[in-house]
Amino acid sequence: MADYSIIDHRMKSATGEPPAARLVLIVLALSFLAVFLFVPLAAVLAGALRDGLSAYFKALAEPDSLAAIRLTLFAAAIAVPLNLVFGVAAAWAIAKFDFAGKSVLTALIDLPFAVSPVISGLIYVLLFGLQGTLGPWLAERDIKIVFAVPGIVLATVFVSFPFVARELIPLMQEQGAEEEEAARVLGASGFQTFWRVTLPNVKWGLLYGIILCNARAMGEFGAVSVVSGHIRGSTNTLPLHAEILYNEYNFSAAFAVASLLVLLALATLAAKKLVEWKSRQSAGEPG
Amino acid sequence: MSIEARGITKKFGGYTALKDVCFRAETGELVALLGPSGSGKTTLLRILAGLEIPDAGEILIHGEDAARRNVRDRRVGFVFQHYALFRHMTVFENVAFGLRVRPRKLRQPERDIRAKVHDLLKLVQLDWLAGSYPSQLSGGQRQRVALARALAVEPKLLLLDEPFGALDAKIRQELRRWLRRLHDELHVTSVFVTHDQEEALEVADRVAVMNNGQVEQAGTPDEVYRRPANPFVYNFLGNANFFRGRIHRGLARIGAIEIEAPEHANAQDCPAVGYVRPHDIEIDRILSGKTAIEAVVRRVRAFGPLVRLELVRRDNGEPIEAELSAERFESLKLREGERAFVKPRNLRLFLNKPE
Amino acid sequence: MTIRLKRHSVLPGFGLALGYTLLYLSLIALVPLSGIFFKTAAMNWDEFWNTATAPRALASYRLSFGAALAGALINAVFGPLVAWVLARYHFPGKRVVDALVDLPFALPTAVSGLALAAVFSANGWIGRFLEPLGIKVAFTPLGVVVALTFIGLPFVVRSLCPVLEDLEKDVEEAAASLGANRLQIFWRVILPSLRPALLTGFSLAFARAVGEYGSVIFIAGNMPMVSEIAPLLIVTKLEQYDYAGATAIAAVMLVASFLLLLIVNLLQWRSSQKTA
Ligand SMILES: Nc1ncnc2c1ncn2[C@@H]1O[C@H](COP(=O)(O)OP(=O)(O)OP(=O)(O)O)[C@@H](O)[C@H]1O
Ligand SMILES: [Mg+2]
């Protein structure tokens, strides 16, 4: 049984705060979180259901909404596997080997975090857009990348590529290379070593990386917005569709679409907790 | 299968971890690599296993250059310092791993693998833990799983890195006897690393003492203990008293005593240091003969069959540690603060100073 | 050969893994990103300078960097409070609160923007209480600060939580046994050991907020010179097909972000030298 008394055993020790101070601190922290987190979250859900459940489902069943859902799923279905392979390769090279330029490479993986999402979109417009470097060449061949689905996929891949690698690198570094070496000495091939020793050891971190990567891939707004051209029913992802509805003052529909993304976020957070719990369990008691 | 390292040098960045190391283990031998922390024991062992490539020198396995044989086909069993058990596998799966990853052509049927793993687990007395995960085992149990796992592939050469390092004194003693018995049963050439001299001297057929990336001396336990090649080895293999003095033409003069030192017959008035183990210090209340050093008893620790005395030399204030049998101590009736005369036995003389 | 670029290892696949990593990274990120600098280099200097330092651009940098700084500062105060409460106290619903702190990470920025705009607008759930006090949040620079505070919160809290959990109780107990009171212990023992993590969290929050777009544009009002952030200005220029203008501002933002990261890394390196 969890002990939810605010005054726990620690107050008797020399290093605890008096109960009143604890209460004040807790209330202060929770009020801050309420204003910035809980109330806005509730507002989205309330806004989505403002006109009732049937209006909610009707808004989601609109052809444009369905198209946006489909495109979002499509982009994620390409970006996540690509970034999964990249993340595993990068983590393997960085965590298990020593080589020159390793720290530079590690820093480069964080690029999408350092770059504004708008700029992440801009780079593809500059490369593939009509006035861009490859623009005329592509136009001749009637290939559309920017303001079309390929651009959206590209931008999605870019903003979500660090997540799997970021999750795996510290995990694999911490576990070192000894188990793999043991496997090699016992006669395992390279692939067997990776498949039977490395992968099972990082599976929860890997799963979490995939979940984060997916959340970002489905939720990206800035970069996708720049490359999309906002063409209804064909280049709108869910976040973009929510924006359009909002700008048209169709608030309850906008919030209905947004609420889907809220559910995605909540599922992501729940998965995070689950993975944390699972990985702590599989790590077992330290000994 | 014998293994030999010739002129091995290994650098990590600018740091030289091994300097021109030579080392040899004969077929069926149990050899201890003994040395202080950081002396390069693990590095040498990893090079023997093929986990690390030396910058210079060669490894000969059964007389053949092993450079082109990679880890997978060296047929060594390696027991890692921190066990490196596969944490997501049960004890059983850990031990079976090496058998299950064999190429399909060479792999035994699963039934045989199971039988073999169970035999091995019985051998290390862990068959009742087959279904447990490494995190649920004690240190000593993990150690034995690691050993069983290494033995499963029937290695020709067993390399153990501080097999008893993380265990408490009692279990260490048990396991080291057990290792010796196991070795006598299986007769597989084994090299084990330790920084515990007692462990090395008690278990091994031969001992190689390492320091600062070099092998200082190699020989049977008796050889290295009785005839240490240099002050480092002497110090490392047990407690030591040292007496400064000079040697001139085979005659050493230490304080008030003179000792024959025929091995240094050519020395011309060289500074030298004589080493003596505490149990080789003779103590008397009265001066018998003229060759003794005068000292004062500082502290007496009398428990068990041995009595340990701390004395201080009258002439230069240097400390002396001595061990006597309880009976001898009784008959001397020495008490703290009293005067005594000290005579070193079996003095080992080295020219120049200790560190 | 004594110069080796890679230490020997018995593990396989290094060449393949590194090669693929570099190839992918170059194709997806490095080549496209360098396009910005090529495009900038192709502009003549006056043109670049005039675009990059036009009053509207300057106002947008001021807002982006100023509001990001303000948001990070707010988080530097409330973040430690939240982290402390989560790490040290028990209260009902703590696990849910703990999970929700990461919401700004997980929530698509557009949704955050919609939600904040709805809550802080004049008739929103919070805005309606601020309105009578004469505080307007939505569609003002203050709204930008609110959005950037929201975005940055988890960076600070998550940097601090592990440190607070690892902070050994006996250090505090030692301080108490030496006669320090609770406040002194916090000020002299706990806070100094939190400082590197706080700095990390603060700079991560700041760096993220500078480039933030989605959560801001809904609540900002986006009035040129007043509440228009730099990323929005880039988008606006793009929509007017002013690629050169967009690129110039993007280049300024990129250089600023990289400088920022460099400074942060230097600061962290220095503070880790001190504690090591
Ligand atoms: N991968 C490495 N990179 C850099 N230096 C290393 C590496 N491995 C070992 N060293 C250095 O080489 C020296 C010898 O290390 P080694 O692990 O062989 O010592 P050891 O005798 O096994 O010590 P211990 O008894 O503590 O295990 C140490 O100074 C160590 O710092
Ligand atoms: Mg070692």
Side-chain angles (χ1 to χ4, degrees):
Chain A
M1 272 301 296
D3 175 16
Y4 282 136
S5 57
I6 290 174
I7 302 147
D8 66 5
H9 61 282
R10 267 195 213 159
M11 67 148 294
K12 292 187 210 90
S13 79
T15 55
E17 288 80 23
R22 277 160 187 262
L23 199 62
V24 170
L25 291 177
I26 291 175
V27 167
L28 220 69
L30 289 184
S31 317
F32 176 80
L33 291 178
V35 169
F36 282 92
L37 288 182
F38 309 150
V39 173
L41 187 64
V44 177
L45 299 176
L49 296 172
R50 196 166 54 170
D51 298 341
L53 262 180
S54 62
Y56 176 78
F57 286 113
K58 219 175 110 216
L60 293 183
E62 285 278 323
D64 288 347
S65 304
L66 289 178
I69 292 175
R70 256 195 309 274
L71 181 56
T72 301
L73 291 176
F74 176 74
I78 293 181
V80 172
L82 279 181
N83 289 334
L84 170 63
V85 174
F86 164 76
V88 171
W92 180 257
I94 289 174
K96 303 284 181 190
F97 298 89
D98 270 331
F99 56 95
K102 181 158 131 169
S103 51
V104 177
L105 183 61
T106 314
L108 281 180
I109 289 179
D110 282 342
L111 261 182
F113 292 144
V115 171
S116 170
V118 167
I119 297 179
S120 315
L122 175 68
I123 57 178
Y124 294 109
V125 175
L126 290 183
L127 199 61
F128 301 116
L130 257 185
Q131 301 180 29
T133 321
L134 299 176
W137 188 87
L138 290 170
E140 255 169 50
R141 281 155 190 77
D142 210 20
I143 303 171
K144 264 185 91 65
I145 291 185
V146 167
F147 308 139
V149 172
I152 294 196
V153 172
L154 266 180
T156 306
V157 169
F158 178 85
V159 294
S160 61
F161 84 65
F163 288 94
V164 174
R166 294 282 326 197
E167 246 356 92
L168 287 185
I169 289 170
L171 203 61
M172 281 168 54
Q173 254 165 354
E174 183 197 342
Q175 296 184 339
E178 259 197 5
E179 282 181 48
E180 280 86 357
E181 285 177 350
R184 291 291 275 172
V185 175
L186 290 169
S189 71
F191 181 74
Q192 284 172 323
T193 305
F194 178 75
W195 194 251
R196 291 176 175 234
V197 176
T198 310
L199 216 50
N201 266 335
V202 297
K203 60 174 184 259
W204 293 113
L206 186 69
L207 187 62
Y208 184 45
I210 294 173
I211 291 167
L212 282 183
C213 176
N214 180 62
R216 187 69 201 267
M218 292 193 174
E220 176 54 24
F221 177 71
V224 172
S225 164
V226 169
V227 294
S228 82
H230 302 277
I231 304 162
R232 261 196 156 189
S234 91
T235 63
N236 266 352
T237 62
L238 273 180
L240 298 179
H241 191 53
E243 183 204 14
I244 292 188
L245 292 170
Y246 184 82
N247 288 344
E248 289 169 349
Y249 300 102
N250 190 352
F251 291 137
S252 64
F255 282 116
V257 170
S259 74
L260 279 187
L261 294 167
V262 167
L263 292 183
L264 172 71
L266 292 180
T268 303
L269 295 183
K272 176 190 174 187
K273 283 284 154 196
L274 190 71
V275 166
E276 271 175 9
W277 180 71
K278 273 285 183 189
S279 61
R280 210 172 306 140
Q281 237 189 2
S282 68
E285 268 71 52
Chain B
M1 195 163 74
S2 67
I3 187 161
E4 182 174 359
R6 277 196 196 152
I8 297 291
T9 296
K10 177 73 188 171
K11 295 193 170 99
F12 292 114
Y15 180 81
T16 308
L18 293 177
K19 273 176 273 199
D20 195 24
V21 166
C22 294
F23 172 82
R24 194 177 159 80
E26 300 296 344
T27 309
E29 243 186 352
L30 177 57
V31 183
L33 267 181
L34 175 66
S37 189
S39 56
K41 307 181 296 291
T42 297
T43 308
L44 180 56
L45 207 65
R46 287 173 60 86
I47 289 177
L48 291 179
L51 286 169
E52 210 75 70
I53 303 270
D55 295 310
E58 56 185 349
I59 301 293
L60 303 178
I61 294 182
H62 217 72
E64 274 172 56
D65 187 2
R68 238 158 275 119
R69 281 212 242 176
N70 75 18
V71 228
R72 281 183 78 191
D73 20 70
R74 280 200 190 190
R75 301 219 42 199
V76 295
F78 197 99
V79 178
F80 287 77
Q81 192 163 3
H82 307 291
Y83 318 138
L85 294 180
F86 305 125
R87 64 197 100 174
H88 62 284
M89 295 181 198
T90 61
V91 166
F92 184 92
E93 289 163 340
N94 261 286
V95 177
F97 183 88
L99 301 171
R100 286 179 172 162
V101 296
R102 285 197 179 147
R104 202 167 293 265
K105 289 189 299 265
L106 305 176
R107 202 181 307 160
Q108 297 158 275
E110 181 66 19
R111 205 157 33 91
D112 296 0
I113 293 183
R114 297 191 154 267
K116 176 151 190 198
V117 172
H118 274 300
D119 285 349
L120 274 166
L121 286 177
K122 243 187 235 127
L123 179 72
V124 298
Q125 298 151 13
L126 284 177
D127 38 343
W128 54 290
L129 283 175
S132 312
Y133 285 91
S135 60
Q136 299 162 329
L137 305 183
S138 75
Q141 290 165 343
R142 281 180 214 181
Q143 182 52 55
R144 282 179 281 160
V145 176
L147 198 57
R149 185 178 70 176
L151 290 174
V153 292
E154 291 175 13
K156 294 277 188 264
L157 177 68
L158 189 59
L159 303 173
L160 306 110
D161 195 354
E162 303 220 14
F164 316 122
L167 310 175
D168 63 61
K170 186 120 182 80
I171 300 178
R172 284 176 85 112
Q173 249 180 12
E174 245 167 64
L175 276 178
R176 81 167 73 130
R177 289 202 190 112
W178 178 83
L179 174 69
R180 181 70 233 187
R181 276 203 308 275
L182 190 80
H183 180 265
D184 293 343
E185 246 171 72
L186 301 178
H187 270 300
V188 54
T189 313
S190 312
V191 179
F192 80 101
V193 161
T194 175
H195 56 231
D196 179 340
Q197 24 93 14
E198 216 180 292
E199 197 165 288
L201 297 178
E202 189 179 315
V203 180
D205 297 321
R206 273 188 332 115
V207 179
V209 184
M210 291 191 68
N211 182 34
N212 266 329
Q214 284 169 315
V215 173
E216 302 273 0
Q217 188 179 6
T220 65
D222 194 52
E223 272 167 17
V224 291
Y225 188 79
R226 274 180 202 272
R227 289 195 298 283
N230 56 39
F232 173 82
V233 177
Y234 198 107
N235 264 318
F236 197 74
L237 290 183
N239 289 337
N241 291 299
F242 56 88
F243 296 89
R244 284 172 223 284
R246 303 193 87 82
I247 300 186
H248 185 66
R249 294 207 185 147
L251 193 68
R253 176 173 285 282
I254 287 170
I257 51 182
E258 277 182 359
I259 295 168
E260 303 273 333
E263 70 270 30
H264 297 298
N266 316 340
Q268 295 287 332
D269 196 27
C270 283
V273 182
Y275 286 80
V276 187
R277 303 259 178 239
H279 60 80
D280 279 332
I281 298 277
E282 246 177 74
I283 293 187
D284 252 319
R285 285 195 80 102
I286 42 166
L287 190 62
S288 59
K290 60 182 164 93
T291 57
I293 294 169
E294 198 181 343
V296 176
V297 180
R298 264 294 147 78
R299 221 169 100 74
V300 178
R301 283 172 290 161
F303 56 87
L306 281 181
V307 177
R308 292 174 182 77
L309 300 183
E310 280 174 38
L311 304 108
V312 173
R313 275 168 73 171
R314 269 275 172 85
D315 50 358
N316 61 9
E318 283 180 358
I320 299 174
E321 208 173 309
E323 277 175 15
L324 314 177
S325 67
E327 297 93 64
R328 173 78 184 139
F329 180 71
E330 278 297 299
S331 70
L332 280 173
K333 293 194 174 65
L334 267 177
R335 251 166 290 141
E336 291 180 5
E338 288 184 334
R339 197 176 61 155
F341 292 95
V342 168
K343 253 196 276 184
R345 248 186 331 223
N346 295 329
L347 195 75
R348 284 282 300 171
L349 281 161
F350 297 106
L351 297 181
N352 296 328
K353 284 175 261 178
E355 54 277 80
Chain C
M1 280 289 287
T2 47
I3 300 166
R4 251 195 250 121
L5 291 179
K6 172 188 165 275
R7 232 168 66 73
H8 166 80
S9 168
V10 296
L11 301 186
F14 174 72
L16 184 68
L18 186 69
Y20 182 71
T21 302
L22 290 177
L23 181 72
Y24 190 86
L25 205 59
S26 309
L27 284 183
I28 295 293
L30 299 183
V31 171
L33 257 179
S34 59
I36 294 221
F37 294 101
F38 286 120
K39 184 102 183 157
T40 311
M43 296 167 75
N44 75 41
W45 175 252
D46 287 339
E47 190 190 348
F48 171 78
W49 188 250
N50 288 338
T51 322
T53 63
R56 187 170 165 191
L58 288 181
S60 78
Y61 305 143
R62 244 192 317 273
L63 181 61
S64 271
F65 284 90
L69 189 65
L73 283 174
I74 294 174
N75 280 324
V77 174
F78 284 95
L81 173 66
V82 172
W84 177 266
V85 166
L86 285 179
R88 291 292 169 100
Y89 302 154
H90 293 286
F91 52 88
K94 171 173 156 175
R95 287 216 239 173
V96 177
V97 173
D98 188 46
L100 282 180
V101 164
D102 286 322
L103 189 67
F105 273 150
L107 199 62
T109 53
V111 179
S112 321
L114 284 180
L116 291 172
V119 168
F120 284 96
S121 65
N123 54 7
W125 289 357
I126 293 177
R128 80 172 65 137
F129 298 105
L130 299 175
E131 185 82 356
L133 306 174
I135 306 173
K136 283 177 87 76
V137 177
F139 316 125
T140 67
L142 194 55
V144 180
V145 175
V146 167
L148 297 184
T149 307
F150 172 87
I151 284 301
L153 178 69
F155 289 94
V156 178
V157 176
R158 289 298 170 230
S159 299
L160 288 174
C161 268
V163 186
L164 273 175
E165 273 156 22
D166 283 359
L167 205 66
E168 274 163 52
K169 198 91 188 101
D170 50 4
V171 181
E172 287 170 57
E173 281 165 359
S177 74
L178 295 170
N181 67 31
R182 199 60 199 143
L183 218 57
Q184 286 171 317
I185 292 176
F186 179 78
W187 205 250
R188 297 180 174 230
V189 179
I190 299 173
L191 202 59
S193 48
L194 290 185
R195 200 175 294 139
L198 188 58
L199 186 70
T200 308
F202 173 84
S203 41
L204 286 176
F206 181 59
R208 166 77 200 263
V210 165
E212 179 57 23
Y213 175 71
S215 59
V216 177
I217 56 164
F218 293 93
I219 197 177
N222 307 329
M223 278 204 311
M225 306 295 296
V226 181
S227 56
E228 182 183 54
I229 53 171
L232 179 64
L233 187 56
I234 297 177
V235 172
T236 311
K237 291 202 179 280
L238 268 182
E239 280 172 358
Q240 297 160 351
Y241 299 105
D242 177 7
Y243 283 28
T247 310
I249 293 171
V252 171
M253 295 278 299
L254 268 184
V255 169
S257 303
F258 289 155
L259 280 181
L260 215 73
L261 279 185
L262 199 69
I263 294 172
V264 167
N265 277 326
L266 275 181
L267 280 178
Q268 272 169 9
W269 180 76
R270 271 199 21 193
S271 78
S272 72
Q273 293 277 304
K274 231 182 274 172
T275 49

